[in-house]
């Protein structure tokens, strides 16, 4: 029996909890003995006083022990790799990475989440494919990874249930953006899902949780440390989220862009990120290749058609129709035109994400439904030169009124400077930790 009020006071005063205390707190929360208001107060105390490495690992471990775990490696007799992104605008990376990695002979089984707010979720994007089933039983999931080499499904309700409950509470008590809580939340799910090696994509910038590279590095270091304590190999890519990733933002539009990318015809920044993530995953796999060879094989799979074949096999296996003609299209498509000529100096990811959300591409509350057809296709990104009247973006909308609102929002997201004045845009990969 723990006294949660004592723990809140002790954390408020900066004391370190023992692993046993953290375990009892999470168990108490799971059983209902610790109510939401005390758990929320404890999270807020963590916001001010932090958690030590030992406490963060104890929290991760307590999350994992709150539910089932999966040992995909033993089921497949292979070393299993996984990837995860902290979430951003236009982030369809897993949908392109999965088929490329599978085409290179490495099994890829991933549990993903839905989007909330301005960031889209992989499951929502996949559900824009007619017939695609994201809910597979654990047995179906394992069998598909074994037989098809690739499955992406919704996170099982029995995997890390304590994190699910706590995340819902954090979301409404201003306690989401706390580094040790984010690190333990993400890593508990990856460890419970059974990966031996994990590539994490930590987004940095105005469209991400982590607004600065320094904060992103701290989060990355904590996740690498948690991986090490759990005997997993973790590499964190710190990547740019000051502007949206690729050109497409919105569910069906992003599926089209992911398919173009696995066919070697993707936008430069997105292609760079996808190939980097694939190269890392292959080099951490049991193929026994280095990063250079991993990159070569991944690139080849995008050009020789094998990644596209893997994509089509995967989508069919999960009940979907891979024909891009079957994806929903929005009834209204309008252009947002440059009010002046010059060089694109900035393109706010958050503002574009919110504009897509308001078109209906995302959800504000868990209950909202999504319109898979709507979204934004950017035509100019940071560093591009534009003339007055050029299309900066295409708005895909349900009706004229929502298209016109989105045009105003997207134009406000663009900063246009003097022609030729913009710095060379920085690459997508800002740093690597681990
Ligand atoms: N993503 C997660 O899974 N958990 C967090 O706490 C934040 C982002």
């Amino acid at each position: 029996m723990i006294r949660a009020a004592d723990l809140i006071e002790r954390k408020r005063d900066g004391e370190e909890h023992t692993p046993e205390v953290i375990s009892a707190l999470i168990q108490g929360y799971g059983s209902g003995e610790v109510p939401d208001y005390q758990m929320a107060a404890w999270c807020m105390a963590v916001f001010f006083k932090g958690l030590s490495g030992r406490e963060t690992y104890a929290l991760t471990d307590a999350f994992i022990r709150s539910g089932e775990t999966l040992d995909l490696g033993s089921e497949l007799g292979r070393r299993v790799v996984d990837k995860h992104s902290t979430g951003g605008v236009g982030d369809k990376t897993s949908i392109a990475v999965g088929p490329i990695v599978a085409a290179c002979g490495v099994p890829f089984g991933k549990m993903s989440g839905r989007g909330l707010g301005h960031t889209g979720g992989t499951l929502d994007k996949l559900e824009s494919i007619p017939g695609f089933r994201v809910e597979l039983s654990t047995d179906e999931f394992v069998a598909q990874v074994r037989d098809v080499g690739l499955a992406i499904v919704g996170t099982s309700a029995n995997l890390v249930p304590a994190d699910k409950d706590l995340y819902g509470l954090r979301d409404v008590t201003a306690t989401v953006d706390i580094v040790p809580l984010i690190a333990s939340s993400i890593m508990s799910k990856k460890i419970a899902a059974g990966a031996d090696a994990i590539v994490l994509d930590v987004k940095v910038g105005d469209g991400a949780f982590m607004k600065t590279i320094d904060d992103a590095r701290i989060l990355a270091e904590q996740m690498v440390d948690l991986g090490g304590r759990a005997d997993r190999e973790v590499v964190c890519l710190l990547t740019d989220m000051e502007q949206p990733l690729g050109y497409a933002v919105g569910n069906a539009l992003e599926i089209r862009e992911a398919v173009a990318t696995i066919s070697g015809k993707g936008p430069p920044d997105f292609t760079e990120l996808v190939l980097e993530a694939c190269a890392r995953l292959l080099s951490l796999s049991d193929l026994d290749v280095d990063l250079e060879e991993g990159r070569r094989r991944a690139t080849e799979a995008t050009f020789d058609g094998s990644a596209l074949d893997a994509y089509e096999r995967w989508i069919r296996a999960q009940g979907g129709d891979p024909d891009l003609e079957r994806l929903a299209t929005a009834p209204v498509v309008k252009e947002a035109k440059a009010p002046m000529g010059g060089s694109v100096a900035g393109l706010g990811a958050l503002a574009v994400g919110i504009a897509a959300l308001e078109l209906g591409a995302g959800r504000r509350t868990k209950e909202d439904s999504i319109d898979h057809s709507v979204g934004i296709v950017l035509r100019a990104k940071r560093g591009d030169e534009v003339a007055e009247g050029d299309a900066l973006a295409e708005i895909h909308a349900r009706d004229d009124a929502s298209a016109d609102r989105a045009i105003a929002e997207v134009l406000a997201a663009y900063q246009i400077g003097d022609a030729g004045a913009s710095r060379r845009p920085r690459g997508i990969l800002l740093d690597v930790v681990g």
Side-chain angles (χ1 to χ4, degrees):
M1 180 75 178
I2 53 158
R3 279 198 19 90
D6 286 348
L7 300 193
I8 297 164
E9 188 178 326
R10 275 153 55 189
K11 185 43 68 188
R12 184 200 66 192
D13 295 343
E15 268 185 43
E16 186 181 12
H17 297 317
T18 64
E20 292 73 25
V21 160
I22 296 216
S23 167
L25 178 67
I26 296 303
Q27 265 180 33
Y29 184 53
S31 68
E33 183 196 331
V34 175
D36 275 349
Y37 54 84
Q38 286 186 311
M39 202 63 213
W42 184 81
C43 289
M44 194 54 90
V46 171
F47 174 82
F48 288 106
K49 298 296 172 159
L51 292 179
S52 67
R54 186 173 80 135
E55 288 176 306
T56 309
Y57 182 64
L59 184 62
T60 309
D61 190 50
F63 281 153
I64 294 169
R65 282 186 293 102
S66 72
E68 284 174 2
T69 55
L70 193 61
D71 189 356
L72 202 51
S74 302
E75 299 273 0
L76 302 176
R78 295 283 305 265
R79 185 173 157 81
V80 168
V81 296
D82 196 356
K83 85 157 272 291
H84 181 83
S85 151
T86 56
V89 178
D91 187 1
K92 56 251 144 200
T93 311
S94 297
I95 300 168
V97 163
I100 297 173
V101 166
C104 294
V106 172
F108 190 85
K110 179 168 162 49
M111 295 196 179
S112 275
R114 294 188 185 280
L116 188 62
H118 70 281
T119 65
T122 299
L123 296 186
D124 299 317
K125 295 170 200 195
L126 287 172
E127 279 182 340
S128 55
I129 300 170
F132 191 90
R133 286 198 306 138
V134 298
E135 310 290 343
L136 299 190
S137 69
T138 303
D139 288 347
E140 286 176 311
F141 172 65
V142 173
Q144 187 177 311
V145 179
R146 187 189 308 111
D147 302 341
V148 182
L150 172 56
I152 300 183
V153 299
T155 306
S156 141
N158 303 329
L159 200 89
V160 202
D163 171 67
K164 207 167 269 180
D165 294 343
L166 189 57
Y167 192 84
L169 181 68
R170 287 168 55 210
D171 202 30
V172 291
T173 55
T175 51
V176 168
D177 53 348
I178 303 174
V179 167
L181 299 187
I182 298 175
S184 54
S185 167
I186 292 176
M187 288 305 292
S188 61
K189 286 175 284 208
K190 295 289 108 184
I191 295 167
D196 299 298
I198 303 152
V199 173
L200 297 169
D201 177 4
V202 178
K203 302 284 186 205
V204 187
D206 102 311
F209 277 128
M210 297 292 118
K211 305 291 180 206
T212 67
I213 186 95
D214 290 340
D215 286 347
R217 209 172 273 123
I218 293 169
L219 175 62
E221 281 163 2
Q222 290 199 9
M223 293 196 287
V224 170
D225 177 66
L226 290 173
R229 288 173 193 257
D231 213 13
R232 315 293 162 112
E233 218 171 329
V234 179
V235 174
C236 285
L237 310 178
L238 307 191
T239 69
D240 181 43
M241 191 33 71
E242 282 294 341
Q243 65 176 349
L245 180 59
Y247 297 125
V249 181
N251 301 281
L253 297 169
E254 292 189 46
I255 293 288
R256 287 196 178 86
E257 187 163 87
V259 173
T261 304
I262 60 181
S263 313
K265 297 180 207 127
D269 62 341
F270 182 53
T271 301
E272 182 190 342
L273 174 58
V274 166
L275 292 178
E276 179 69 28
C278 290
R280 299 270 166 190
L281 287 163
L282 296 185
S283 72
L284 290 168
S285 76
D286 54 12
L287 288 188
D288 198 22
V289 298
D290 63 10
L291 204 52
E292 223 29 61
E293 177 61 10
R295 189 169 287 114
R296 194 195 65 71
R297 290 191 192 186
T299 307
E300 190 172 292
T302 65
F303 288 117
D304 68 8
S306 57
L308 185 61
D309 287 348
Y311 171 81
E312 292 182 354
R313 267 199 310 281
W314 160 46
I315 299 302
R316 285 203 189 89
Q318 274 180 252
D321 184 340
D323 183 355
L324 296 182
E325 297 296 316
R326 297 281 322 280
L327 292 171
T329 51
V332 174
V333 180
K334 288 188 162 185
E335 288 179 345
K337 295 198 168 131
M340 62 173 109
S343 176
V344 177
L347 169 56
L350 179 62
V352 174
I354 291 174
L357 170 71
E358 287 177 353
L359 282 167
R363 47 172 94 70
R364 288 189 178 283
T365 71
K366 286 194 192 110
E367 289 70 38
D368 282 355
S369 63
I370 280 188
D371 183 338
H372 291 110
S373 69
V374 300
I376 296 158
V377 179
L378 303 166
R379 291 277 173 236
K381 291 189 65 177
R382 212 173 43 214
D384 289 345
E385 302 284 328
V386 293
E388 185 183 335
D390 277 358
L392 292 176
E394 245 173 42
I395 311 296
H396 295 240
R398 284 179 193 143
D399 50 48
D400 281 316
S402 64
D404 291 342
R405 274 196 303 276
I407 287 173
E409 285 167 5
V410 168
L411 288 179
Y414 275 92
Q415 276 173 270
I416 299 186
D418 292 340
S422 76
R423 293 166 286 123
R424 275 286 333 126
R426 57 182 179 178
I428 187 90
L429 183 64
L430 307 177
D431 202 354
V432 179
V433 175

